[in-house]
């Protein structure tokens, strides 16, 4: 019989509790760690078979722990992940695992050197709707992809410690880079901090890839529309992933430009069917946790860690561009 993976989790806040719920179902929760006493008390009551502590070192010192799950605030991700990898543990860490590309490079190198899983929590890559998007792009159904744009807007939740680029953009960026399978050769970001000095509430990003594909992201918590949407424009078809839709998460549009034979440069447009493929209702977080445990069992591919590095590298470049415009 296959051994059950023993998991220690640090960070039992708003998001951490969702991870605990899944890892309790899928693995053996051995340790729960949080700096706040109230959280420790509550989780000790809810998960009586796990040991509870405020000391991350105590969790790492336990040879029986195979894997660590990190759901603490972003600035703590890099030091905690580094410590866990150095202690020989596989790591699932919430996004982004580091705030600087040099730090993320160090983490990826450490995971590769020690043959450990390092998986950033890019939740939306496990969303069945986003998986469908990837399938459509890779199967050439859309023809050459020309451009992609993401809308992640709402009124709230207004953050004071990270800007809209880092808080919201990490989701769309992970999807866009995964779909195009390239890193951008040029990036621009413009935005402004209206509410908290130095923390941009509204950010517009432009990315251009070596293949000529272009992408755009509108990220904002000051907006009348609640939008969670990715649009992919292909030469033959166009597709929209809309996470606000209950049933029609993915819509394919038979819309494209075409050039009638014998005419040169006289472009016309073609409009055909519009259809929505069936998307399974599986919980993305559960699929994400299952994937992590699968990697722990079969051994790391390092693909997830390298994809995470591309995301952090691009975020850093976009942040530099934002800061340059601000300066
Ligand atoms: N994938 C998603 O869709 C998604 C959604 C929300 C949050 N997140 C991510 O989850 C992470 C946590 O966010 P949150 O909203 O749950 O934050 P939170 O503030 O609610 O929870 C963080 C918890 O970590 C604990 N903590 C902080 N430093 C610690 C340390 N050194 N040792 C032990 N405990 C420590 C705090 O006491 C707190 O309970 C962030 O990285 C965030 O980006 C991801």
């Amino acid at each position: 019989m296959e051994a059950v993976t023993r998991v220690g989790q640090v960070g039992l806040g708003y998001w951490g509790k969702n991870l605990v719920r899944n890892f309790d179902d899928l693995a053996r929760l051995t340790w729960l760690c949080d700096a706040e006493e109230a959280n420790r008390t509550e989780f000790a009551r809810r998960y009586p078979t796990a040991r509870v502590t405020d000391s991350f070192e105590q969790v790492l010192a336990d040879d029986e722990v195979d894997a660590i799950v990190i759901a603490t605030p972003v600035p703590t991700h890099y030091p905690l992940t580094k410590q866990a990898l150095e202690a020989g543990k596989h790591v699932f860490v919430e996004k982004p695992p580091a705030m600087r590309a040099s730090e993320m490079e160090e983490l990826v190198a450490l995971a590769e050197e020690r043959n450990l899983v390092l998986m950033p929590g890019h939740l939306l890559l496990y969303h069945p709707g986003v998986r469908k998007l990837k399938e459509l792009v890779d199967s050439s159904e859309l023809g050459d992809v020309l451009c992609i744009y993401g809308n992640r807007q709402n009124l709230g939740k207004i953050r004071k410690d990270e800007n809209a680029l880092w808080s919201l953009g990490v989701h769309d960026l992970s999807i866009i880079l995964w779909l195009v399978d390239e890193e951008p050769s040029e990036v621009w970001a413009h935005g402004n901090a209206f509410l908290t000095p130095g923390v941009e509430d509204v950010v517009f990003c432009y990315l251009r890839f070596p293949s000529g594909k272009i992408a755009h992201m509108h990220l904002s918590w000051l907006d009348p529309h609640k939008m969670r949407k990715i649009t992919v424009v292909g030469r033959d078809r166009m597709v929209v992933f809309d996470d606000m839709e209950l049933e029609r998460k993915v819509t394919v549009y038979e819309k494209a430009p075409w050039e009638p034979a014998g005419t040169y440069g006289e472009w016309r447009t073609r409009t055909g069917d519009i259809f929505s493929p069936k998307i399974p209702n599986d919980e993305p977080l559960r699929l994400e946790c299952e994937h992590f445990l699968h990697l722990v069992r079969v051994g790391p591919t390092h693909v997830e860690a390298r994809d995470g590095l591309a995301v952090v590298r691009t975020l850093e470049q976009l942040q530099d561009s934002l800061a340059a415009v601000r300066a």
Side-chain angles (χ1 to χ4, degrees), residues 10-19 33-36 39 53-54 56 70-74 76-77 80 94-96 121-124 157 159 162 167 171 285 288:
V10 56
L12 308 171
Y14 159 74
W15 192 246
K17 68 175 180 313
N18 298 321
L19 287 160
C33 172
D34 198 282
E36 277 185 34
N39 285 346
T53 180
D54 64 348
F56 189 49
I70 300 175
T72 50
V74 176
T76 65
H77 290 176
L80 295 178
E94 262 312 324
K95 46 76 191 165
H122 292 308
L123 178 70
L124 288 178
K157 174 187 180 181
R159 295 192 181 266
E162 41 173 358
S167 176
H171 291 295
L285 183 59
E288 184 182 48

Side-chain angles (χ1 to χ4, degrees), residues 154-167:
N154 195 11
L155 185 62
K157 174 187 180 181
I158 297 164
R159 295 192 181 266
K160 291 196 328 202
D161 43 5
E162 41 173 358
N163 64 17
L165 172 65
W166 285 83
S167 176

